[in-house]
Amino acid sequence: MPSPTPDTSSSPLFRQPAFVAFWCCRIASSFAFQMLSVAAGWQIYALTHRAASLGLIGLIQFLPSVLLALPAGHFIDQWDRRRVVIGAIAIEAVAVICMAISSHLEHIHETAILLLIFVVGIGKSFEFPAMQALLPDLVPGPMLARAMAANGAASQAASIAGPALGGFLYVAGADVVYALDAGLYLLGLLALSCLLAVKVNARPREPANLDRLLAGIRFIRARPDVLGVISLDLFAVLLGGATALLPIFAQDILHTGPWGLGLLRAAPAAGALLMSLWLTRWHFQRQVGITMFAAVAGFGLATVVFALSSWIWLSLAALFVLGACDMVSMVIRGSMVQLDTPDDLRGRVSAVNSIFVNTSNQLGEFESGMLAAWLGAVPAALLGGVGTLLVVAIWMRLFPGLRHRQQLHHADS
């Protein structure tokens, strides 16, 4: 795989005040959401003792991202994206404040938790694509890949430490976790308010209609490189969802206990975190297309090794490599999509991309679970890894321009 080269930019990433404010908001919001997910799941199961209630939390979070994607994308392209993010996080903050107060007064019940989680999901359906579309306004184009890597580092750090912190604080009560969540959301709002003084591109407002709502989809279909990277992510994640089977591998194949399962769950995030930290200091200057395909192929190969491993340390190494490869692919894909998309369409394209991301994650876990039920965990994970490699081979043939692409920014975009 071609290696990125050191960034020779005269302005280091974390000396960009606008990006620092953005990054602080992202890490606060990510930690709050991870802690919220743990506390809400634990609390609702303690109230109901029904596994189905845990499934409902996932569904309730997933529905707004799909149902609101197109109108959210149009809204993000019409309004100041900074204010959209502020409004979305404010909605999430109000919801968790309500959860904290209700839990403290012991007036919380299943329906209320699900309703408030749905409100958080509404906020997330605007926050995620708005932040994706806002980032290119805050850093120079050559620094975007490093900025996305730093953004990914914030998410991975939250994925590793957030659930553990939420579980630890839950001992003091769900209301304590929710109160800290609210504090983190408010810190994120404070950080983001610093961006209001930054000059960004003004966009004309146009009334919503079906033609404008679908503009993001039309743009993706018309740009082979953008269509290629988004669809590659969809099918690779859909087939390579072996992490959903970790409890089975931990107990039945690796013969380890909860401590081993914890290590297995942390390994992909650790690999992604370390790779993202490395990528904040290096950037891709050439052969970005083949590098991306190599990273996705590495993801597939790591899945195959994990499927065939019966030693926990080899499995941990495979999952670590899997996470690192996924981060390389994510940074390249995300940078290419944002740089190839005109500013007035970034919200709608990011919203459509979020549908692909959320759908592939959810359906990937479902697909892995169903295959494991029919064939067993090892064949299911093995087929997922081999399927990912086949997708890479097919996509390299279907999208030759993407395979030969040299730069993150397309010359005629």
Side-chain angles (χ1 to χ4, degrees):
M1 185 194 313
S3 299
T5 56
D7 195 321
T8 57
S9 172
S10 60
S11 180
L13 183 62
F14 281 95
R15 291 185 185 176
Q16 300 278 326
F19 176 76
V20 171
F22 175 93
W23 189 83
C24 289
C25 175
R26 178 62 189 271
I27 199 167
S29 174
S30 298
F31 263 90
F33 184 71
Q34 292 292 337
M35 293 168 59
L36 171 65
S37 298
V38 170
W42 193 282
Q43 185 179 39
I44 201 170
Y45 188 72
L47 290 171
T48 66
H49 299 287
R50 294 198 308 268
S53 297
L54 298 176
L56 284 175
I57 289 181
L59 179 64
I60 287 296
Q61 291 176 347
F62 173 68
L63 284 177
S65 66
V66 174
L67 298 177
L68 297 177
L70 294 181
H74 180 268
F75 188 84
I76 291 165
D77 282 336
Q78 300 302 304
W79 294 82
D80 187 328
R81 290 165 183 160
R82 299 165 299 182
R83 298 185 186 279
V84 174
V85 178
I86 288 173
I89 293 179
I91 290 172
E92 297 166 42
V94 170
V96 296
I97 289 172
C98 291
M99 294 178 75
I101 294 173
S102 299
S103 298
H104 183 71
L105 298 176
E106 298 184 350
H107 290 160
I108 197 75
H109 50 81
E110 179 186 13
T111 303
I113 293 174
L114 293 175
L115 177 61
L116 291 169
I117 289 295
F118 185 77
V119 173
V120 172
I122 292 174
K124 284 292 177 189
S125 68
F126 283 83
E127 179 195 347
F128 178 76
M131 293 195 86
Q132 292 289 102
L134 175 62
L135 187 54
D137 287 338
L138 304 179
V139 296
M143 299 178 69
L144 181 60
R146 292 196 299 133
M148 294 199 71
N151 205 27
S155 296
Q156 294 302 327
S159 297
I160 295 171
L165 182 58
F168 177 77
L169 291 175
Y170 193 91
V171 175
D175 55 338
V176 174
V177 182
Y178 298 144
L180 181 57
D181 283 343
L184 287 171
Y185 279 128
L186 293 176
L187 283 175
L189 289 175
L190 180 62
L192 206 62
S193 66
C194 299
L195 292 180
L196 294 177
V198 178
K199 184 178 180 180
V200 297
N201 296 329
R203 287 171 294 276
R205 296 178 187 173
E206 300 173 334
N209 56 43
L210 186 60
D211 182 66
R212 294 192 179 97
L213 289 176
L214 297 178
I217 296 176
R218 288 199 308 274
F219 175 82
I220 291 171
R221 290 182 59 188
R223 297 299 295 260
D225 285 5
V226 176
L227 176 61
V229 296
I230 290 179
S231 56
L232 177 65
D233 176 53
L234 171 65
F235 286 100
V237 174
L238 185 64
L239 292 169
T243 52
L245 307 177
L246 288 182
I248 301 175
F249 274 86
Q251 182 174 342
D252 298 340
I253 296 166
L254 301 174
H255 305 294
T256 185
W259 66 271
L261 176 59
L263 289 176
L264 291 170
R265 287 194 179 279
L273 175 60
L274 291 179
M275 178 57 73
S276 63
L277 292 174
W278 186 62
L279 290 176
T280 61
R281 298 184 60 85
W282 298 65
H283 71 292
F284 300 95
Q285 287 189 324
R286 60 188 180 86
Q287 296 182 308
V288 296
I290 201 67
T291 301
M292 180 193 65
F293 281 120
V296 180
F299 178 93
L301 284 172
T303 302
V304 170
V305 172
F306 172 76
L308 297 176
S309 170
S310 57
W311 299 291
I312 187 169
W313 298 114
L314 178 59
S315 298
L316 288 170
L319 291 172
F320 182 90
V321 172
L322 180 150
C325 289
D326 189 43
M327 179 55 65
V328 173
S329 171
M330 187 204 76
V331 168
I332 294 177
R333 287 185 284 104
S335 300
M336 287 172 59
V337 169
Q338 294 300 325
L339 290 171
D340 279 12
T341 304
D343 181 68
D344 62 339
L345 282 174
R346 281 195 179 120
R348 280 165 283 187
V349 171
S350 295
V352 174
N353 190 29
S354 72
I355 297 178
F356 280 75
V357 171
N358 290 324
T359 300
S360 62
N361 287 330
Q362 300 289 335
L363 293 184
E365 294 182 2
F366 176 76
E367 174 267 339
S368 295
M370 291 298 99
L371 271 182
W374 294 335
L375 304 174
V378 171
L382 183 60
L383 283 175
V386 172
T388 299
L389 293 173
L390 288 175
V391 166
V392 170
I394 293 170
W395 258 241
M396 289 180 71
R397 185 172 182 84
L398 289 178
F399 300 94
L402 188 57
R403 184 177 74 245
H404 296 298
R405 180 144 170 174
Q406 294 294 312
Q407 304 293 331
L408 288 172
H409 194 286
H410 204 287
D412 59 355
S413 63

